[in-house]
Every structure is written in structure tokens, then in C-alpha cells.
Amino acid sequence: MNTAATAFKSPRGSVWTRERLDQLGTQELINLQANAARLGETELAALCDDRLKERPRRGPASSGAVPRIKGQHKLLPRSKAFGARGVWLQDPRTSWSGVRKADGVVVIALWQAAVRAIDGGCICLLWSPNSKGVRPWSDSAAGRERLDHCKLAMQRGAAEGLLVQGEPLEGRLPEDRARTVLGIDAETVVHLQVEMRGAEYWATWGKKKPANS
């Protein structure tokens, strides 16, 4: 059964208990979290994130291969996933964001494991200055490109996000280098806004508006 695809047939995401989530495979749990974030089910997304943190990490010698679930959308390499959304990357090897020429929408690849639930919504750090040399990627060509796209997305008021699945490498930004990159489900798109917080740029989405707004 395609768990991620059927997760929201129930009226509320709250039917997903910790015990039920623990019965899912890791890839099923990752896909469920992505769909929860996309549909604004922030409590479920946070619960999935909590359960994923409890899963043991694969060792360095692991190939990182994950069996594909029948009916699951195919995970694509970053450049192909962007192409599926009508975006051609300036540098297919290093670019993590681009602009769709058809409508000018900024599309940004987000490391899925970096997405966090907060204040009833989801947030993800997009760009931060290379303070004291701890984020050299920010000063790279791809990092400067991401910064330009963050500014453009703020001007437009909205952007799209693609969730990159994989396992990070300790001490490195996943945009620079990761232990394992599984790919992107190009059918899962989050509609986000880019906010500036201090000198940092953050993606935010899914926050429910007050009932009287």
C-alpha cells in the first residue's frame, strides 16, 4: 500500500499515532512527512520528524539504497526534478535553486531533514552569512545564487520548494556535500514564502490563519 498517498484520506491527520508511525518503514515515514508539510498538517509533520530522529542512522559503509515502495513516485536527481517543474538550472551540478521562465516563479530545493515545525507551520533555513568561516558554501557561486533567488522570492511574495531526501554528512551543509542523496519527488511541491530574519533567509509555509482573519 502506498502509505504516503493514502495518509490524508482520513478527515484528520491526528489518527496517526506514534505507535502507528513506528510501524512504517523509514522511506514511508519520510514520504508521509513530506505530504504532511505540503498539505499543512503541521502536527503530523512534526510527529513524523520526531519519529525519524529516533531511527538509527545508517553506517558510513552503507550504500544508502532504499527499496522503492510500489506506487511511490520516483525520486529524481536534482536537475531532472527541476526540469520536471519547468526550471533549467544555471549549473546542474551545483545549483539548488532556479527561476521558471514561464512565470518567473522561484523554485528552491530544500533539504527535507532540515525542515522543522514551529508556531503551527514549517520553516527551513535557506541562506545564512558565512560568519567566522563556518558556512563557506554561502560564499560559493551556488550560495550567492541562492541568496539572489531568496531576494527575488521575497520581492515576488511566494516561491515553490522541492524536498530533497537523503542523509547529511556531519559537519557539512547538505547543499555542499551529503553522505547520501536519494533524490526529489517532483510531484511533491511546497508553496512557501521567504522571510528575512536578521541576516538569514528562511522558507516558511503551512501556518494556519486565525479563524477570525
Side-chain angles (χ1 to χ4, degrees):
M1 179 180 70
N2 183 358
T3 305
T6 60
F8 299 100
K9 287 186 178 180
S10 300
R12 294 178 58 83
S14 59
V15 299
W16 287 90
T17 63
R18 289 175 181 267
E19 292 73 19
R20 187 178 177 191
L21 292 176
D22 285 340
Q23 295 176 5
L24 301 180
T26 298
Q27 189 61 42
E28 289 179 298
L29 195 55
I30 289 173
N31 291 339
L32 180 59
Q33 181 193 38
N35 279 279
R38 176 171 58 87
L39 297 176
E41 292 285 351
T42 54
E43 292 184 7
L44 177 56
L47 187 56
C48 289
D49 181 65
D50 179 68
R51 304 323 297 155
L52 282 168
K53 289 178 181 177
E54 297 296 324
R55 299 288 172 98
R57 287 179 176 270
R58 292 187 295 274
S62 170
S63 67
V66 176
R68 186 180 175 191
I69 303 169
K70 186 177 181 180
Q72 174 185 320
H73 291 140
K74 182 179 180 180
L75 297 180
L76 301 176
R78 189 169 66 249
S79 61
K80 289 187 177 181
F82 271 92
R85 306 307 304 178
V87 178
W88 307 109
L89 297 177
Q90 180 173 325
D91 187 331
R93 187 179 61 87
T94 63
S95 294
W96 275 66
S97 54
V99 179
R100 187 162 53 228
K101 290 185 178 181
D103 54 12
V105 171
V106 176
V107 182
I108 303 173
L110 311 173
W111 190 253
Q112 182 167 296
V115 176
R116 294 289 177 263
I118 186 172
D119 296 333
C122 292
I123 65 171
C124 184
L125 179 62
L126 297 176
W127 187 91
S128 182
N130 183 28
S131 301
K132 298 182 180 180
V134 298
R135 297 177 67 92
W137 180 82
S138 296
D139 292 335
S140 69
R144 293 193 299 270
E145 180 184 45
R146 166 71 69 86
L147 175 59
D148 289 340
H149 288 152
C150 286
K151 294 177 179 178
L152 179 59
M154 285 187 63
Q155 293 174 6
R156 291 186 57 87
E160 293 181 0
L162 298 175
L163 300 173
V164 183
Q165 301 181 22
E167 183 181 359
L169 185 63
E170 187 175 356
R172 300 291 290 269
L173 291 178
E175 292 89 347
D176 181 22
R177 185 177 180 184
R179 185 184 301 280
T180 304
V181 179
L182 300 177
I184 298 173
D185 175 2
E187 298 300 318
T188 299
V189 180
V190 293
H191 298 275
L192 55 87
Q193 292 183 318
V194 176
E195 299 178 357
M196 193 171 185
R197 301 183 178 186
E200 298 178 337
Y201 289 84
W202 290 77
T204 67
W205 70 93
K207 187 173 182 179
K208 297 180 179 179
K209 295 181 180 180
N212 59 354
S213 64

